[in-house]
């Protein structure tokens, strides 16, 4: 017991020195990372500033059913159900989305279900999609796993 | 893979024109032209390959041209250089971007 108590104080002293050195290392390391962060931050901010107002998409949310005609010059995200005619620059049919009718767009991404007549330039059909209809396209990409049937015509 | 064991395989080299109906037990690799029906377990139509006629098999991989009906019981892949005209029956399909598809598409087992 006494041996331990005698030896322990100098040991602790060594430990303190070692700890101090470690602290010094840690401090210098943290300073350098802070400096790096400081130099990177403005770059990130500039990037944010150089991407002004990306066109906000129009969204048909899940559980929402729309019947009629939709016309848009921008982006349309469909997570709900649409029956009717859709014309937009870019259309995304989400996994929960359903479209029944006529669809015209430049870019079309289908992750959900689609039935009807489609006219588009760039078509991408996701792995869980169900598509049935007559489709005219310029560029097509069908991912493995999707269920697709109907008439396909390349423009 | 195919070169290791060519038992039951058909290879049609570039520039070769083959006419008739073919039953291939294993792999059919087409770099030339086939005029007629082609049935194989696995069909590979290479970028220079052209088939005029019905093709059917388990897995079919198209980098070239298929000009009549295509029927695949397992997987069908149309690569970016691939071109398919005519009706297609498939159970699993993949079309790479740039692939060319002109015709009717049917799923063999639509409710699975």
């Amino acid at each position: 017991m006494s041996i331990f108590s005698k030896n322990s104080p100098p040991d602790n002293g060594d430990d303190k020195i070692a700890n101090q050195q470690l602290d010094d290392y840690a401090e210098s390391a943290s300073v350098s990372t802070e400096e790096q962060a400081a130099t990177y931050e403005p770059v990130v901010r500039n990037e944010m500033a150089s991407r002004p107002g990306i066109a906000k998409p129009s969204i048909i949310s899940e559980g929402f059913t729309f019947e009629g005609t939709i016309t848009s010059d921008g982006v349309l995200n469909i997570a709900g159900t649409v029956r009717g005619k859709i014309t937009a620059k870019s259309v995304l049919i989400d996994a929960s989305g359903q479209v029944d009718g006529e669809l015209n767009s430049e870019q079309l991404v289908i992750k959900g279900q689609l039935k009807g007549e489609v006219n588009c330039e760039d078509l991408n059909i996701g792995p869980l999609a169900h598509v049935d209809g007559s489709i005219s396209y310029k560029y097509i990409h069908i991912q493995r796993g999707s269920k697709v049937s109907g008439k396909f015509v390349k423009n | 893979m195919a070169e290791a064991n060519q038992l039951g395989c058909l290879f049609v080299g570039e520039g070769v024109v083959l006419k008739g109906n073919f039953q291939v037990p294993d792999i059919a690799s087409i770099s030339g032209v086939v005029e007629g029906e082609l049935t194989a377990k696995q069909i590979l139509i290479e970028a220079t390959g052209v088939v005029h006629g019905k093709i059917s098999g388990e897995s079919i991989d198209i980098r070239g041209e298929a000009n009549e009906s295509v029927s695949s019981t397992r997987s069908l892949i149309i690569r970016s250089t691939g071109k398919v005209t005519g009706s297609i029956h498939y159970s699993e399909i993949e079309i790479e971007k740039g692939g060319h598809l002109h015709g009717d598409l049917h799923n063999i087992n639509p409710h699975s």
Side-chain angles (χ1 to χ4, degrees), chain B residues 24-87:
Chain B
V24 182
D26 205 351
I27 300 168
S29 173
I30 315 295
S31 297
V33 179
V34 172
E35 292 180 12
E37 270 180 47
L38 176 62
T39 305
K41 192 175 172 199
Q42 195 179 344
I43 299 177
L44 308 167
I45 302 181
E46 305 292 349
T48 53
V50 180
V51 177
H52 300 281
K54 288 180 187 172
I55 62 175
S56 53
E58 276 182 24
S59 40
I60 301 177
D61 189 319
I62 301 173
R63 292 168 200 269
E65 255 181 72
N67 285 323
E68 226 177 277
S69 79
V70 176
S71 170
S72 157
T73 54
R74 192 175 289 165
S75 77
L76 170 65
I77 302 179
I78 302 175
R79 305 282 181 185
S80 56
T81 51
K83 195 172 168 184
V84 176
T85 319
S87 72

Side-chain angles (χ1 to χ4, degrees), chain A residues 122 130 137-154, chain B residues 77 90-107 112:
Chain A
D122 214 329
H130 282 73
Y137 67 93
K138 253 190 190 148
Y139 305 102
I140 193 169
H141 183 185
I142 298 182
Q143 290 173 51
R144 185 183 285 245
S146 58
K147 305 286 179 203
V148 185
S149 58
K151 200 172 180 176
F152 282 74
V153 177
K154 189 181 164 95
Chain B
I77 302 179
Y90 72 94
S91 80
E92 192 177 73
I93 194 169
E94 182 177 344
I95 300 179
E96 287 186 356
K97 195 164 188 179
H100 194 298
L101 171 59
H102 203 109
D104 294 345
L105 208 51
H106 304 275
N107 194 338
S112 67

Side-chain angles (χ1 to χ4, degrees), chain A residues 1 6 11 17 22 28 36-37 46 53-55 81 86 96 100 121 125 129 134 140-141 153:
Chain A
M1 189 64 194
K6 261 184 190 172
D11 272 1
I17 292 161
L22 276 176
S28 62
Q36 279 177 341
N46 283 344
I54 297 168
T81 305
I86 300 168
S96 59
D100 201 337
E121 290 198 354
I125 300 179
S134 124
I140 193 169
H141 183 185
V153 177

